[in-house]
């Protein structure tokens, strides 16, 4: 999806983050540009465009009906998702994805996150097979700074893997 969409040359997400945090969010404010991924549980992430700010975001949705069907196990997953959302709202660091807010409708719960057009680190690793030392040190330094900041704020991150590291730029 990333490669086929006409995206702005420069990200304006941070400028618009404060504007969106102060707004009441709803699905009608966003136009879907495509699905980034989808799970069998109905959880999905879409690339969306917010016309009033001319900015791109990732809108993650989770069907509320699924939670009713799977009972206690799903309640635990929702609790984890809620804690993740609260942590992202509380954290402010250049190497941590920003979250603009969340909302619900009758069908889904939604979380609106900053769009990073560089995609997942794992995508770049699969294309290049490995990084040179300079590139490896560059990305590792950013990951270490983000983890250090999170730990200083009292958070522990347990899902560190190339699929959960997103890049701000298109090319490495």
């Amino acid at each position: 999806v990333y490669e086929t969409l006409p995206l702005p040359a420069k990200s304006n997400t941070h400028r618009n983050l404060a504007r969106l945090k102060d707004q009441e969010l709803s699905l009608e404010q966003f136009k879907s540009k495509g699905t980034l991924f989808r799970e069998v549980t109905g959880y999905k992430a879409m690339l969306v465009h917010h016309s009033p700010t001319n900015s791109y975001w990732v809108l993650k949705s989770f069907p509320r009906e699924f939670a009713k069907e799977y009972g206690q196990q799903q309640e635990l997953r929702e609790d984890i998702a809620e804690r993740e959302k609260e942590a992202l709202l509380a954290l402010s660091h250049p190497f941590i994805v920003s979250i603009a807010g969340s909302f619900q409708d009758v069908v889904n719960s939604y979380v609106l996150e900053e769009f990073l057009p560089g995609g997942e680190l794992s995508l770049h690793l699969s294309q290049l097979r490995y990084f040179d030392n300079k590139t490896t040190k560059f990305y590792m330094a950013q990951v270490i700074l983000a983890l250090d900041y999170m730990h200083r704020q009292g958070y522990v991150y347990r899902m560190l893997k190339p699929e959960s590291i997103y890049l701000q730029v298109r090319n490495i």
Side-chain angles (χ1 to χ4, degrees):
V1 173
Y2 293 127
E3 301 306 318
T4 60
L5 297 172
L7 300 174
K10 187 175 180 183
S11 173
N12 57 359
T13 301
H14 287 289
R15 184 177 66 229
N16 294 309
L17 186 61
R19 287 178 62 189
L20 284 175
K21 279 188 175 182
D22 294 336
Q23 288 184 14
E24 178 97 13
L25 299 174
S26 70
L27 193 56
E28 293 74 32
Q29 297 171 347
F30 302 94
K31 182 177 179 184
S32 176
K33 295 295 183 179
T35 301
L36 300 173
F37 67 84
R38 179 188 315 253
E39 292 182 359
V40 292
T41 61
Y43 174 78
K44 71 177 178 177
M46 300 176 294
L47 177 63
V48 295
H49 182 254
H50 186 250
S51 294
T53 59
N54 190 30
S55 55
Y56 288 87
W57 299 85
V58 173
L59 184 63
K60 294 183 175 180
S61 67
F62 189 81
R64 297 172 78 190
E65 193 60 37
F66 183 80
K68 294 176 187 172
E69 291 176 26
Y70 288 87
Q72 192 175 22
Q73 179 184 5
Q74 190 55 36
E75 287 175 16
L76 177 61
R77 185 173 178 168
E78 283 184 340
D79 182 51
I80 291 169
E82 185 64 27
R83 283 188 279 149
E84 179 183 351
K85 181 184 77 172
E86 288 173 6
L88 286 174
L89 283 168
L91 297 171
S92 178
H93 190 275
F95 304 141
I96 297 175
V97 172
S98 299
I99 185 171
S102 63
F103 57 97
Q104 297 180 7
D105 61 20
V106 220
V107 180
N108 293 306
S109 295
Y110 300 93
V111 176
L112 189 65
E113 291 183 0
E114 168 184 21
F115 171 60
L116 300 174
E120 296 175 355
L121 183 66
S122 60
L123 171 69
H124 298 281
L125 274 173
S126 68
Q127 291 172 346
L128 298 174
R129 299 197 62 207
Y130 62 90
F131 294 138
D132 61 36
N133 284 340
K134 183 179 177 183
T135 302
T136 301
K137 288 176 184 177
F138 175 75
Y139 287 122
M140 288 308 302
Q142 292 181 345
V143 168
I144 290 167
L145 288 171
L147 290 173
D148 178 61
Y149 170 78
M150 290 175 72
H151 290 182
R152 289 175 192 238
Q153 302 302 313
Y155 294 98
V156 176
Y157 188 73
R158 301 181 309 177
M159 295 289 291
L160 187 59
K161 55 187 178 181
E163 293 81 10
S164 60
I165 300 173
Y166 294 88
L167 307 180
Q168 177 62 34
V169 295
R170 277 185 189 263
N171 298 321
I172 295 178

